Amino acid sequence: MFAIRKNIIIKMQQSYNHITIEDKWQKYWHDENCFIVDNKPGNKPKYYVLEMFPYPSGKMHVGHLRNYTIADVVARFKMAEGYSVLHPMGWDAFGLPAENAAIENKVHPMDWTLENIKVMKESLKKVGLSYDWNREITTCLPDYYRHEQEIFLDFLAAGLAYQKKSFVNWDPVDCTVLANEQVENGRGWRSGALVEKKELTQWFLKITDFAEELLADISTLRGKWPEKVLTMQENWIGRSEGAFVDFNIQGTAEQIKVYTTRPDTIFGASFIAISPRHPLVASLLGHKQDVQAFIKECEQNGTSEAELQTMEKKGIYTDLQAVHPFDENIKLPIYLANFVLMEYGTGAIFGCPAHDERDHEFALKYNLPITQVVKPVDNQLQIDTKIAPYTGLGIAINSDFLNDLPTEKAKSEAIKSLEQIGMGQGTVQYRLRDWGISRQRYWGCPIPVIHCPDCGVVPVPKDQLPVTLPKDISFEKPGNPLEHHPEWKHVDCPKCGGKAKRETDTFDTFFESSWYFARFCSPQYKGVFDKAAADYWLPVDQYIGGVEHAVMHLLYARFFTKALQKLGYLEAREPFSGLLTQGMVCHETYRTKTGAWLYPQDVLKQGGKALNRTSGEEVQVGGVMKMSKSKKNIVSLDDMVDKYGADATRLFLMSDSPPERDFEWSDAAIEGAYKFINRFHKSAVDVLTGYPASNLNIEEEKKLTQLMHKTIYFVTEDLQRFHLNKAIARIRELYNFWGTVTVGKELQKKVIATICQLLNPIVPHVTEEVWQMLGNETSLVYSKWPEYDPALLKDDEIVIAIQVNGKMRGTVSMPAHSQQDNVLSSAKQLSAVQMQLQNKEIKKVIYVQNKIMNIIVG
């Protein structure tokens, strides 16, 4: 097919026209279905590469392109290596931005979303990405979300989904629940509104059932996931061994149960702190006005871990006291505290100020006792716990029957004694909490249950799926539009036939992205997905996306995979065997005097100043930050592709720095990438139209051939390790050397052809064009990766450093593995060495073969 299409070209392109050439090859790949893959690849091994699919927010900038290009390089490289490569694309299309845009622009969220998808899809196609578009999925369409409704019903039947009342972070502007991580400085991450605490009946998934498995299987990902991501997941799951401790409340029949990882420090306890939402507050303290005022103040606080660590620790004394479980004469004051959350542990702690930073800060503020109960093993280490807590391990002191025991032994003895007196027990706890999936918004997947006053919660029968969103929706009233819809929520109970109501909450959008990778394996399948296809393709061999998803998305996807395996949907234990977290593309920011953001194209750099192109006023140049539409420090992807071409844009994004690091956009650097592509194309034209070289240099031919094989070896290794910038540098080194030597035309063509093969995953259009110009009758899409000759990897000559009395005096080029006498003889020919040897005797020669010689003289 490729050979037949050759006759379409009327004449060789003498100059490089990126628009014509890129359109030509994109059409060829499309017409020939080059990237369509089936689930029966024959003898080829499989390789599944996937990027975190995008939210369709509108026009794309070059920052969006980086992870897609990285994945495309991997996909094309693996195809050339002989793999059957699955490389799909889809759209994470539900979410608040679409709903907010609908309200702002008075359009339907579906219309806004589908129009954005159309625009973004065209941009991606212009870049020449090797997607199997036959597998495209869009999560806001019923043919996708009907299947996640089925998954939810299976979770519900298996006890993995349930409903309960819970205090949540409520955004009063977006009118929806926020996860702790979506509350920043006490405000909603999108609206900026002060978040409130609100008790709602919510749907949860029982991710805690898989806590130990999620933690244990991290070991299978080591070496293939970034260690920082694995550490974040380990910390989020937060396995700890400790004890529940019961404290009687003096003068009442009530108890407070505390979880602690340091039961060995119980004799250093000086107070009890409970969450303002602890059940005891309502039963014992709800009548107190100061308590209610404190609770209201706490509701304005952030709940993320970072905010809890940095905020001022505040409390209010309840006038209640707890009795120490080991000594009834010790009474501990009970405080409400703003840093104790009901969501963690039991919602209560005992404070040991001498050995915990948070407790120490609280004790100093409220003048509470600080009693040291652990001393360092190293007696030379001087500490004063009145000034700062000692948080390390050591030996128990001031601790009754625990005295003189090392920390670990003291822990076990404390637990043993608590269990003997019936005031506690040893346990393993997890920081991880069940995943609240309810969101009070329209633009999300409906939760497929019906609430019947007689039958309770009734699952929607599977043959009635999907439960689709109503199209006639109004956003005039605040709150959830589904709740206000006059008809949609009113249905008959599937069980008794009586009047009932649909669930009006929709799924958290992380629900969609927690299983989409499995749907890609068989997107036209009538069920959730074809098990055989999922078992063949999963896990994803290489997943690529931002580190900001290290916990929530990646942890939820891991949970889903394990839950689906438990229910018999698939065999994979993990969704992604490899993970690369790409760095961000950054750019300067610009603001007017009034604080308005400006796009880079609106700024003129002149005379060391930055000026507003429209008004001529000087603008404020801010820091280099991640490209963001909100700060307008973005460079349009379409503009760059139109001006420089897809290949130049891809080359720059891959060559500037390692994929995992951030880098700054540079207009000069993309100009350089564009010039290189033009030079490379011209080189091929020159080789084909020029005359054979005369006076061939056999030695140079030998060196060029050897460098070509070394480049194949090292570039292959670099691409396998995602050292894409190194691979590009090596290819350019070969190209530059090729341009400096006088060799025969056949070798010239051979080197250019090899560069085409090596560069093709990165700049596929120009390499296809040059490859065809060289007379090849098979597209690079179907060409094998070049092979190297191992014999040519060894240097015939090497450079050996020569020292005299340990000081560098020069180098000599010698055949590999030269003997000491031969190297010494050559070294003596160096003038700098001769000067050092005058009238001196060589006492000793130290020779490290192929590396260095040190001549000792005296």
Side-chain angles (χ1 to χ4, degrees), residues 55-61 64 112 116-117 119-120 123 629:
Y55 181 79
S57 57
K59 285 193 173 184
M60 301 183 73
H61 57 72
H64 293 131
W112 186 84
N116 285 346
I117 288 174
V119 170
M120 293 174 70
S123 294
K629 289 181 180 180

Side-chain angles (χ1 to χ4, degrees), residues 37-56:
V37 63
D38 61 32
N39 293 332
K40 297 178 182 178
N43 295 325
K44 287 185 176 182
K46 73 93 178 177
Y47 196 89
Y48 186 176
V49 59
L50 182 66
E51 306 96 294
M52 295 180 183
F53 64 168
Y55 181 79

Side-chain angles (χ1 to χ4, degrees), residues 77-123:
F77 171 57
K78 288 300 179 181
M79 286 180 67
E81 283 199 313
Y83 288 86
S84 178
V85 176
L86 174 58
H87 187 204
M89 173 51 70
W91 310 96
D92 193 10
F94 274 134
L96 266 177
E99 191 161 327
N100 290 340
I103 296 170
E104 182 178 348
N105 301 311
K106 299 189 183 305
V107 297
H108 195 280
M110 179 69 83
D111 297 335
W112 186 84
T113 300
L114 294 182
E115 179 59 29
N116 285 346
I117 288 174
K118 179 182 176 181
V119 170
M120 293 174 70
K121 187 174 179 179
E122 286 304 309
S123 294

Side-chain angles (χ1 to χ4, degrees), residues 248-251 272 317-323 331-334:
N248 292 324
I249 300 177
Q250 189 175 28
I272 300 290
Y317 179 44
T318 64
D319 294 327
L320 297 174
Q321 291 188 319
V323 180
K331 307 297 190 298
L332 305 176
I334 301 174

Side-chain angles (χ1 to χ4, degrees), residues 312-372:
E312 182 185 1
K313 310 301 183 291
K314 293 183 178 180
I316 180 172
Y317 179 44
T318 64
D319 294 327
L320 297 174
Q321 291 188 319
V323 180
H324 196 287
F326 289 133
D327 188 343
E328 62 182 14
N329 294 316
I330 299 175
K331 307 297 190 298
L332 305 176
I334 301 174
Y335 284 78
L336 301 188
N338 64 351
F339 58 87
V340 182
L341 299 182
M342 202 59 225
E343 293 86 350
Y344 300 115
T346 63
I349 65 154
F350 73 72
C352 182
H355 304 288
D356 182 273
E357 292 179 1
R358 173 199 59 193
D359 298 347
H360 193 273
E361 180 183 340
F362 192 82
L364 290 179
K365 184 177 182 70
Y366 294 103
N367 196 29
L368 297 168
I370 300 175
T371 303
Q372 182 180 350

Side-chain angles (χ1 to χ4, degrees), residues 725-768:
N725 58 318
K726 287 185 178 180
I728 293 169
R730 294 186 202 276
I731 297 168
R732 294 185 70 156
E733 180 184 354
L734 172 63
Y735 172 73
N736 291 337
F737 185 71
W738 170 89
T740 65
V741 297
T742 305
V743 299
K745 178 168 281 194
E746 288 307 309
L747 182 55
Q748 288 184 31
K749 290 171 65 176
K750 174 66 174 173
V751 173
I752 290 294
T754 299
I755 291 174
C756 280
Q757 290 174 291
L758 298 178
L759 265 182
N760 178 254
I762 300 156
V763 287
H765 306 87
V766 68
T767 50
E768 285 275 27

Side-chain angles (χ1 to χ4, degrees), residues 167-171 176-180 183 195-197 303:
F167 281 99
V168 296
N169 303 311
W170 179 257
D171 188 316
T176 190
V177 171
L178 300 177
N180 287 344
V183 180
V195 170
E196 304 168 356
K197 291 292 183 186
T303 52

Side-chain angles (χ1 to χ4, degrees), residues 471-487:
K471 293 181 180 179
D472 55 331
I473 200 72
S474 171
F475 297 99
E476 296 301 320
K477 293 182 180 179
N480 185 354
L482 293 176
E483 185 65 37
H484 304 314
H485 196 280
E487 299 170 2

